């Protein structure tokens, strides 16, 4: 790696995108990529510990030391960790496939609608349009423009003495006159604790020339840690027009919420993360508008659900205290916010409804999901679960609800796993093993050549290896077995899922004992959370009448395999239901119905949060669950019956 001489500025060219950044000499390569707007996986946010930011230096010089995340062979071939490499000269750098996000996934539209189990709600969008024709003023009737409009709203629409945004008054004289006194008035209702005819008072947020009632749209948005999903809703027909999904651009700054909080504490960090999540939302909106030939001016309302950290960063609220005991968010109930004030590209009058959250780690996405699942509408004892880095669980029914979050770690999203990756093209998502030959059969997303393994693939793989006695209940390999796929590697023993020549990354893709251990710890946290929360209300997991699995991960989960490893309780399988992206579904319901808008607030208020992080029962339950499926074999009778090689 020889290069041009040192100067205070260096040009770094990133391949395969062929994008350049000019940076100060000594800048980190990861920050150069961010400056160029190029994504390099950086799960740990540049702390040097995850090893996901591997790049190849084609020409030029960087300063970096060998680390345990790179083999000697890789180092000799010019591979470096972008986060701990300093730019010394002009560079040309290739980002290998395993360090990139898959653009095909970034642009893939979601075709599958999310499920809704809530019933009985009345269709009455909080955002409404009213067309009125006013008599022009005369010398005999020269009341103010505002009074004239209010008088007509009362006479024609039975809307009496509504509050009004000042900006509407400012533009009223022009709009009334240019439209020949024929206008459409838009109103918006906000969530109420208790809705009565007296409290059901919308406010006027816009006035437009002419009759615009036939173009009446809202947007529902789910701001996830990994992706941002949106739906454009036709409020005249009560229908989803289309949906879209993009990666949350914050992913370049760290994979999980804790890393993101850490980034916000750097100078300018909060502003940067706020900017990029807004850019992700704007990308979703642009795509929805372009694909459906809808004009931006016809969007009148936004509803947004996300976890507490995502919501706070979107709002520009410092999430610092979420991470520090006793873990406090800035606010659980957020008043209506003007979308434009956040940088969202819609008309000036458009407001965003942000879902209420319950605590620092049980956010608006869970409230939205519970609402969509209709948990608050039924007597049935329900266990609602969103599996992820931060797993959230809710137990309850229409009378009561308790909730908790369990810090499962990033394994379910591929983090901390040697060849882990998020669920996108090329990820191994299913696995089975021939118990005689120990040869695998794998299935990848999009049937692409494998390049890693995602959360569902990891669960299925560990369950199959356990059932085939390739690993024991402690997650350790049976080294007596004769197979070229079972071998000693750098992280102790490992199993080869795919040979190098079968992959996109020209390396053997393996699952290691360290990976299995990380998965066991993640599933133990989720199960211990469920067990501890159940015990806190004097029930057991077998009392659940239904189990609702939410989140993108949930829909690809194999329930049988998840029970085999002890992630889900061993109860009759027909009690389990997937609800998909329930957070997005709840956001949609709130755009469609004032009733659901009010219920979103009530659901958040009725949830009692139980803090597990300092709970001694949780710690005991967690330790007991560090086994496959569990140290208490009686809790998993159907699994134990199927295991041929019970071990210790
Ligand atoms: S090791 Fe470089 S971002 Fe994690």
């Amino acid at each position: 790696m020889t290069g041009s001489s040192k100067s205070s500025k260096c040009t770094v060219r990133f391949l395969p995108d062929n994008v350049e950044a000019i940076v100060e000499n000594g800048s980190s390569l990861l920050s150069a990529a961010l400056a160029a707007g190029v994504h390099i996986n950086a799960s740990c946010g540049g702390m040097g510990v995850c090893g996901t930011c591997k790049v190849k230096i084609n020409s030029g010089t960087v300063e970096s030391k060998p680390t345990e995340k790179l083999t000697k062979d890789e180092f000799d071939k010019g591979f470096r960790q972008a986060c701990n490499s300093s730019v010394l000269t002009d560079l040309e750098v290739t980002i290998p496939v395993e360090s990139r996000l898959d653009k095909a996934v970034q642009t893939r539209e979601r075709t599958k609608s999310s499920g809704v189990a809530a019933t009985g709600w009345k269709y009455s969008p909080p955002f409404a349009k009213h067309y009125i024709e006013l008599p022009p003023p005369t010398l005999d009737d020269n009341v103010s423009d505002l009074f004239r409009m209010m008088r007509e709203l009362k006479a024609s629409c039975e809307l009496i003495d509504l509050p009004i945004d000042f900006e509407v008054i400012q533009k009223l004289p022009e709009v009334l006159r240019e439209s020949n006194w024929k206008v459409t008035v838009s109103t918006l209702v906000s969530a109420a604790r208790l809705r009565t005819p007296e409290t059901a008072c919308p406010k006027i947020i816009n006035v437009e020339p002419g009759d615009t009632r036939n173009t009446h749209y809202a947007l529902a948005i789910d701001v996830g840690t990994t992706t941002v999903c949106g739906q454009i809703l036709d409020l005249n027909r009560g229908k989803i027009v289309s949906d879209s999904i993009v990666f949350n651009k914050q992913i370049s700054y760290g994979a999980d919420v804790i890393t993101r909080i850490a980034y916000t504490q750097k100078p300018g960090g909060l502003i940067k993360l706020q900017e990029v999540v807004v850019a992700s939302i704007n990308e979703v909106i642009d795509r929805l508008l372009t694909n459906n030939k809808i004009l931006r001016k016809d969007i009148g309302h936004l509803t947004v659900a996300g976890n507490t950290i995502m919501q706070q960063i979107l709002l520009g609220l410092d999430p610092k205290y979420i991470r520090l005991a006793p873990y406090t968010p800035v606010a659980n109930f957020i008043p209506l916010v003007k979308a434009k004030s956040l940088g969202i590209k819609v008309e000036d009058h458009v407001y965003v409804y942000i879902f209420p959250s319950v605590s620092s780690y049980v956010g608006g996405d869970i409230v939205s999901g519970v609402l969509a699942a209709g948990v608050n509408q039924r007597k049935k004892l329900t266990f609602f679960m969103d599996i992820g880095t931060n797993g959230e669980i809710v137990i309850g029914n229409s009378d009561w609800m308790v909730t908790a979050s369990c810090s499962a770690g990033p394994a379910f999203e591929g983090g901390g796993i040697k060849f882990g990756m998020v669920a996108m093209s090329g990820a191994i998502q299913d696995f089975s093993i021939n118990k005689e030959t120990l040869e695998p059969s794998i299935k990848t997303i999009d049937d692409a050549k494998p390049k890693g393994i995602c959360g569902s693939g990891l669960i299925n793989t560990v369950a199959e290896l356990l059932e085939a006695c390739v690993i024991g209940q402690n997650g350790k390999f049976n080294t007596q077995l004769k197979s070229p796929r079972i071998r000693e590697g750098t992280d102790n023993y490992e199993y080869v899922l795919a040979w190098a020549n079968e992959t996109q990354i020209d390396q053997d893709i393996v699952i290691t004992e360290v990976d299995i251990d990380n998965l066991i710890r993640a599933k133990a946290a989720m199960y211990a959370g469920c067990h501890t929360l159940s015990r806190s209300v004097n029930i057991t997991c077998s009392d659940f009448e239904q189990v609702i699995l939410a989140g993108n991960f949930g829909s690809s989960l194999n329930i049988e395999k998840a029970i085999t490893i002890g992630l889900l309780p061993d109860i009759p399988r027909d009690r389990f239901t997937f609800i998909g992206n329930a957070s997005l579904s709840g956001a949609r319901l709130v755009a469609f119905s004032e009733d659901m808008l009010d219920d979103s607030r009530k659901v958040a208020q009725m949830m009692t949060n139980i803090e597990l992080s300092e709970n001694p029962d949780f710690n005991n339950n967690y330790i007991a669950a560090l086994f496959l499926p569990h140290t208490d074999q009686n809790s998993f009778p159907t699994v134990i019956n199927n295991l041929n090689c019970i071990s210790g």
Side-chain angles (χ1 to χ4, degrees):
M1 283 176 287
T2 56
S4 57
S5 61
K6 285 187 182 183
S7 68
S8 61
K9 298 270 187 197
C10 302
T11 302
V12 185
R13 174 180 297 275
F14 291 96
L15 302 179
D17 290 349
N18 205 18
V19 175
E20 282 184 1
I22 298 172
V23 296
E24 291 292 334
N25 184 303
S27 303
S28 92
L29 202 42
L30 187 61
S31 65
L34 290 171
V38 173
H39 173 84
I40 298 175
N41 288 340
S43 298
C44 69
M47 305 292 286
V49 294
C50 69
T52 59
C53 61
K54 192 165 68 177
V55 295
K56 185 167 185 290
I57 312 297
N58 300 330
S59 65
T61 306
V62 295
E63 183 174 71
S64 61
K65 295 193 173 63
T67 75
E68 58 174 24
K69 297 294 175 191
L70 292 171
T71 63
K72 181 172 180 315
D73 186 43
E74 285 174 323
F75 194 85
D76 291 345
K77 284 182 177 155
F79 285 97
R80 298 289 184 271
Q81 279 174 253
C83 70
N84 70 7
S85 298
S86 305
V87 178
L88 296 186
T89 67
D90 293 349
L91 297 172
E92 185 188 89
V93 177
T94 294
I95 305 171
V97 65
E98 62 270 32
S99 302
R100 298 201 295 261
L101 280 179
D102 183 349
K103 288 216 169 56
V105 171
Q106 288 187 61
T107 56
R108 187 168 60 191
E109 305 301 309
R110 178 170 300 207
T111 51
K112 216 170 39 171
S113 244
S114 302
V116 167
T119 56
W121 48 276
K122 192 167 107 224
Y123 185 75
S124 57
F127 172 61
K129 286 187 168 188
H130 314 272
Y131 175 67
I132 49 173
E133 296 185 2
L134 286 67
T138 63
L139 283 177
D140 292 334
D141 177 24
N142 62 354
V143 294
S144 72
D145 290 345
L146 179 59
F147 185 86
R148 185 173 304 277
M149 184 177 78
M150 291 302 200
R151 188 174 67 186
E152 196 56 39
L153 279 173
K154 181 178 177 185
S156 305
C157 311
E158 296 181 357
L159 294 171
I160 302 167
D161 289 340
L162 302 191
I164 182 167
D165 280 350
F166 179 60
E167 294 85 346
V168 183
I169 297 175
Q170 283 179 304
K171 68 178 183 178
L172 192 56
E174 290 310 315
V175 173
L176 289 177
R177 285 163 183 83
E178 97 186 35
S179 65
N180 202 22
W181 305 92
K182 294 172 184 167
V183 292
T184 302
V185 177
S186 298
T187 58
L188 184 67
V189 169
S190 54
R193 265 165 225 264
L194 189 62
R195 188 165 296 282
T196 65
E198 291 72 40
T199 61
C201 181
K203 71 169 174 171
I204 297 170
I205 61 166
N206 196 28
V207 60
E208 298 168 280
D211 185 354
T212 67
R213 287 174 297 176
N214 63 341
T215 51
H216 191 30
Y217 297 97
L219 289 164
I221 310 262
D222 164 52
V223 181
T225 310
T226 306
T227 56
V228 174
C229 312
Q231 289 181 333
I232 192 158
L233 310 173
D234 182 338
L235 296 181
N236 283 331
R237 291 170 189 78
K239 286 204 163 114
I240 305 167
V241 179
S242 173
D243 15 21
S244 185
I245 180 169
V246 299
F247 279 108
N248 183 339
K249 294 179 198 298
Q250 288 182 354
I251 206 167
S252 298
Y253 300 82
D256 59 85
V257 290
I258 298 300
T259 315
R260 306 267 176 91
I261 294 175
Y263 193 88
T264 63
Q265 300 312 299
K266 296 182 179 178
L270 176 58
I271 292 172
K272 179 43 93 180
L273 290 197
Q274 203 254 356
E275 271 174 16
V276 296
V277 73
V278 168
S280 307
I281 291 173
N282 283 333
E283 190 181 340
V284 166
I285 295 175
D286 287 348
R287 197 173 289 175
L288 288 170
L289 295 178
T290 308
N291 291 353
N292 299 288
K293 299 192 170 50
I294 292 171
L295 299 177
R296 198 172 296 274
K297 71 174 182 57
D298 295 329
I299 302 296
H301 190 205
L302 260 70
T303 56
V304 172
N307 63 52
T308 311
I309 293 98
M310 289 302 105
Q311 292 193 166
Q312 280 202 200
I313 295 176
L314 170 62
L315 293 165
L317 301 173
D318 191 343
K320 175 162 64 178
Y321 298 105
I322 285 179
R323 195 180 163 200
L324 304 173
Y327 318 112
T328 50
V330 174
N332 287 334
F333 294 86
I334 303 289
L336 286 170
V337 182
K338 281 278 177 84
K340 198 84 175 241
S341 72
L342 303 176
I344 299 174
K345 289 187 194 155
V346 284
E347 296 285 297
D348 292 353
H349 66 275
V350 178
Y351 281 94
V352 189
Y353 173 70
I354 304 276
F355 263 79
S357 33
V358 180
S359 67
S360 281
Y361 294 102
V362 178
D365 53 344
I366 299 305
V367 173
S368 184
V370 165
L371 183 79
V375 178
N376 56 313
Q377 295 182 325
R378 301 188 186 92
K379 291 282 178 199
K380 244 184 188 178
L381 181 60
T382 302
F383 177 50
F384 178 97
M385 188 182 206
D386 190 336
I387 303 166
T389 301
N390 182 50
E392 295 99 346
I393 49 181
V394 180
I395 298 173
N397 59 17
S398 53
D399 296 329
W400 57 273
M401 285 186 215
V402 289
T403 182
S405 73
C406 334
S407 181
F412 292 128
E413 281 153 20
I417 303 300
K418 188 160 191 172
F419 287 91
M421 63 183 284
V422 294
M424 58 187 190
S425 191
I428 296 171
Q429 63 171 352
D430 204 358
F431 168 94
S432 60
I433 189 167
N434 182 315
K435 293 192 170 79
E436 305 297 320
T437 63
L438 303 182
E439 281 300 298
S441 167
I442 60 172
K443 170 149 181 43
T444 60
I445 295 177
D446 294 339
D447 291 323
K449 272 180 141 187
K451 69 175 190 182
I453 183 166
C454 63
S456 59
L458 192 63
I459 290 169
N460 296 345
T461 302
V462 171
E464 281 276 316
L465 293 176
L466 177 68
E467 287 172 342
C469 305
V470 173
I471 58 171
Q473 288 182 272
N474 57 2
K476 303 292 178 223
F477 279 95
N478 177 355
T479 54
Q480 307 304 311
L481 294 173
K482 295 281 171 269
S483 164
R485 290 187 182 264
I486 302 170
R487 67 189 189 191
E488 197 157 7
T490 48
D491 290 341
N492 220 338
Y493 277 88
E494 60 190 26
Y495 176 90
V496 181
L497 297 164
W499 299 111
N501 61 1
E502 302 163 343
T503 74
Q504 287 186 49
I505 58 173
D506 298 326
Q507 293 177 66
D508 294 347
I509 296 177
V510 300
I511 179 169
T512 70
E513 275 187 3
V514 172
D515 296 340
I516 296 169
D517 197 43
N518 283 337
L519 180 70
I520 289 175
R521 281 192 267 128
K523 73 91 187 173
M526 292 297 300
Y527 188 81
C530 168
H531 196 62
T532 311
L533 198 60
S534 306
R535 293 292 292 271
S536 74
V537 287
N538 284 328
I539 58 171
T540 66
C541 296
S542 57
D543 293 325
F544 299 145
E545 294 170 276
Q546 63 174 353
V547 177
I548 296 176
L549 300 166
N552 289 329
F553 180 76
S555 55
S556 58
L557 189 66
N558 180 323
I559 289 188
E560 206 58 57
K561 302 297 180 195
I563 294 171
T564 299
I565 67 161
L567 168 62
L568 296 176
D570 190 356
I571 59 176
R573 304 334 185 221
D574 60 5
R575 295 186 197 172
F576 290 90
T577 311
F578 290 116
I579 195 169
N581 187 344
S583 169
L584 183 62
S585 302
R588 180 173 71 247
L589 289 181
V590 158
F592 279 162
S593 169
E594 287 178 26
D595 294 346
M596 298 310 270
L597 180 70
D598 293 342
D599 281 357
S600 67
R601 190 181 173 99
K602 286 182 206 149
V603 165
Q605 282 171 324
M606 74 186 283
M607 283 186 186
T608 304
N609 184 57
I610 310 272
E611 195 58 57
L612 294 181
S613 57
E614 317 280 328
N615 184 319
D617 284 345
F618 174 76
N619 289 333
N620 293 337
N621 291 330
Y622 171 72
I623 290 163
L626 290 172
F627 207 58
L628 296 169
H630 197 277
T631 49
D632 176 12
Q633 317 260 20
N634 295 330
S635 302
F636 287 84
T638 68
V639 178
I640 297 301
N641 280 345
N642 284 335
L643 284 188
N644 298 318
C645 36
I646 306 287
S647 63

